[in-house]
Amino acid sequence: MTLRLTDEETEALRRRSEVEQRSMQEIARQAIREYTEAHGRAELLDQVLDDELPRYSEALRRLGE
């Protein structure tokens, strides 16, 4: 895989790398892990809500009254 960054993104990553004394690759990989984990949880929650909310729609409607 090749990741192409803009000059600004590369410079920002380089600065972060220097501040944290970690490699640019390590920081990028961590960012990708955090992104995919966060979005994976959100997608799972959406799926559960889509599957389960219809079952409780009448109760939720009554609670809203």
Side-chain angles (χ1 to χ4, degrees):
M1 178 182 141
T2 300
L3 178 63
R4 290 180 175 80
L5 302 174
T6 65
D7 292 341
E8 293 82 16
E9 292 167 336
T10 300
E11 186 54 34
L13 185 56
R14 183 175 287 118
R15 284 192 307 269
R16 178 58 34 203
S17 173
E18 290 171 1
V19 168
E20 295 184 19
Q21 297 184 340
R22 297 169 49 204
S23 72
M24 292 171 55
Q25 178 177 328
E26 185 178 355
I27 292 169
R29 290 179 64 215
Q30 179 183 353
I32 292 167
R33 279 192 306 275
E34 290 172 3
Y35 178 88
T36 56
E37 288 171 6
H39 286 271
R41 284 190 297 270
E43 289 169 2
L44 177 60
L45 179 58
D46 287 345
Q47 179 183 353
V48 168
L49 290 175
D50 288 345
D51 292 347
E52 298 300 324
L53 278 181
R55 181 187 314 183
Y56 301 105
S57 62
E58 179 61 21
L60 292 169
R61 186 190 63 74
R62 289 181 184 180
L63 286 171
E65 293 177 349

